[in-house]
Amino acid sequence: MNELDKTDRKILEILQKNARITNKELSSQLGLSPPPTLERVKKLESSGYITGYIAVLDPKKVDLGAVMMVSVTLHQHSEEAIEAFHRAIENLTEVMECYHLTGDDDFILKVVCKDIQQYERFVREKLARLNTLGKIKSSVVLSTVKMVREYPISER
Amino acid sequence: MNELDKTDRKILEILQKNARITNKELSSQLGLSPPPTLERVKKLESSGYITGYIAVLDPKKVDLGAVMMVSVTLHQHSEEAIEAFHRAIENLTEVMECYHLTGDDDFILKVVCKDIQQYERFVREKLARLNTLGKIKSSVVLSTVKMVREYPISER
DNA sequence: ATTGAAAGGAATTCGCG
DNA sequence: CGCGAATTCCTTTCAAT
């Protein structure tokens, strides 16, 4: 798939807001009939624009009230050390996001836990035990000012 | 809704992975018939466990290849200054996430742009113009090691 | 609180402009 | 590329348990 037209971009905007909209309703919002609408959606999926459809939960409701941002520095920076760190992070369910950064710190992690006690256990029993790990700096998230999952779709 | 049973938790797990699953398929994965499955899903929605269903896009495909993590300090910390900052952030489409933190920096932002040039414009024309703003420190995201949107559902 | 049947809609296919 | 009709499948309701 090469270039998105206006209709494709509108589909992405609508589905980013509501993934469970029916094809019929989607088509009516586009001013199209259902068959071409469905075909466009399928094409956006198969060409990798849409990677999935997910339910969004309220973390507090599922007992994940503590959010932390954690700056991590490795104690060495060989290819293998970084690879090993990546693989370790992959297996830690508490880590929702992890970015490799330029600057003083190597990585920043977003970690969710039930409470601060569980976070402490996570650090002591899991994070601090990674042998590539240098030092960490934890910051408590006092409030989530913004957390949008919708990418702005540019005109081209 | 008071407490989730095992079936409810499994529903949340499945829908976090695939929001467009049919009710029929969902019910068969649960070992239930469709009607009670549907009722449980509706209840999870109305009681706030599920806040929405969204399509997940590939940011690179929609021309958002540059990701930055930005530490922000305000130059004053009155109630109004913080409120004003919140409201301003709300209107910046480039800011996907913003957390109010403990520690040296007040906030951390995740910002997505087409490229570094667009990021520079964002900083100069939008972020730096907020009059509550003290100083910022930008870090380029070299790679996204992990970005999961699925919360781990605890046993209780 | 779950089941099975039944009615009403929606998804999907296909032939055609 | 999009449309409209037709078929198949799913959703949703309801009586029964």
Side-chain angles (χ1 to χ4, degrees):
Chain A
M1 191 165 194
N2 266 342
E3 189 95 13
L4 300 183
D5 67 13
K6 201 163 185 173
T7 305
D8 292 321
R9 293 195 298 269
K10 194 153 184 199
I11 290 174
L12 294 180
E13 281 171 8
I14 294 170
L15 290 179
Q16 281 194 106
K17 290 200 213 306
N18 177 13
R20 294 199 108 186
I21 190 174
T22 63
N23 187 55
K24 192 189 176 199
E25 171 63 18
L26 176 60
S27 66
S28 103
Q29 287 191 28
L30 297 171
L32 232 60
S33 65
T37 302
L38 187 63
E39 201 181 333
R40 280 169 178 269
V41 172
K42 296 264 180 251
K43 200 167 261 171
L44 289 166
E45 293 169 355
S46 64
S47 58
Y49 282 86
I50 298 172
T51 60
Y53 300 95
I54 67 167
V56 179
L57 307 190
D58 180 344
K60 290 189 290 300
K61 285 275 191 176
V62 293
D63 220 16
L64 295 167
V67 184
M68 314 287 299
M69 298 300 295
V70 188
S71 293
V72 170
T73 310
L74 302 191
H75 76 254
Q76 61 136 308
H77 298 82
S78 65
E79 179 95 16
E80 309 95 80
I82 291 175
E83 279 300 320
F85 183 73
H86 281 219
R87 280 195 305 278
I89 289 300
E90 210 42 68
N91 293 317
L92 299 178
T93 55
E94 294 90 343
V95 178
M96 303 288 294
E97 304 178 39
C98 172
Y99 305 99
H100 191 179
L101 298 183
T102 61
D104 296 339
D105 302 312
D106 293 325
F107 296 91
I108 190 159
L109 280 56
K110 179 182 176 183
V111 177
V112 298
C113 289
K114 176 177 162 52
D115 52 34
I116 296 289
Q117 286 68 43
Q118 288 304 310
Y119 176 70
E120 197 205 345
R121 284 194 60 178
F122 163 76
V123 171
R124 288 166 56 175
E125 298 178 9
K126 296 181 179 174
L127 195 58
R129 288 188 184 172
L130 302 179
N131 53 24
T132 49
L133 195 120
K135 68 181 175 61
I136 74 170
K137 194 182 79 181
S138 301
S139 300
V140 174
V141 172
L142 298 172
S143 70
T144 296
V145 176
K146 187 174 187 179
M147 167 82 207
V148 298
R149 293 149 175 100
E150 191 183 340
Y151 294 109
I153 308 296
S154 69
E155 284 302 312
R156 40 132 294 104
Chain B
M1 192 165 196
N2 267 342
E3 190 94 13
L4 300 182
D5 67 13
K6 201 162 184 171
T7 304
D8 293 321
R9 292 195 298 269
K10 192 150 185 202
I11 290 173
L12 294 180
E13 281 171 9
I14 294 171
L15 290 178
Q16 281 194 106
K17 290 202 212 306
N18 176 13
R20 293 200 106 184
I21 190 174
T22 63
N23 187 57
K24 190 188 179 196
E25 171 62 19
L26 177 60
S27 66
S28 103
Q29 288 191 28
L30 297 171
L32 269 179
S33 63
T37 303
L38 187 64
E39 202 180 335
R40 280 169 180 269
V41 172
K42 295 264 180 249
K43 201 168 261 172
L44 289 166
E45 293 168 356
S46 65
S47 58
Y49 282 86
I50 298 172
T51 60
Y53 301 94
I54 67 167
V56 179
L57 308 189
D58 180 343
K60 290 189 290 300
K61 284 274 190 177
V62 292
D63 220 16
L64 295 168
V67 184
M68 312 288 298
M69 298 300 295
V70 188
S71 293
V72 169
T73 311
L74 301 191
H75 76 253
Q76 62 135 310
H77 297 81
S78 64
E79 179 95 15
E80 309 95 82
I82 291 175
E83 280 300 319
F85 183 73
H86 282 220
R87 280 195 305 277
I89 290 299
E90 210 43 68
N91 293 317
L92 299 177
T93 55
E94 294 90 343
V95 179
M96 302 288 292
E97 304 178 39
C98 172
Y99 305 100
H100 191 179
L101 298 182
T102 62
D104 295 340
D105 301 312
D106 293 325
F107 297 91
I108 190 158
L109 280 57
K110 179 181 175 184
V111 177
V112 298
C113 289
K114 177 178 163 52
D115 52 34
I116 296 289
Q117 286 67 43
Q118 288 303 310
Y119 177 69
E120 197 206 345
R121 283 194 60 177
F122 163 76
V123 171
R124 289 166 54 173
E125 297 177 9
K126 297 181 179 174
L127 195 58
R129 289 188 185 173
L130 303 179
N131 54 24
T132 50
L133 195 120
K135 69 182 174 62
I136 74 170
K137 195 182 78 182
S138 301
S139 300
V140 174
V141 171
L142 298 172
S143 70
T144 296
V145 177
K146 187 174 187 179
M147 167 84 208
V148 298
R149 292 149 174 99
E150 192 183 340
Y151 294 109
I153 308 296
S154 69
E155 285 301 312
R156 36 136 285 108

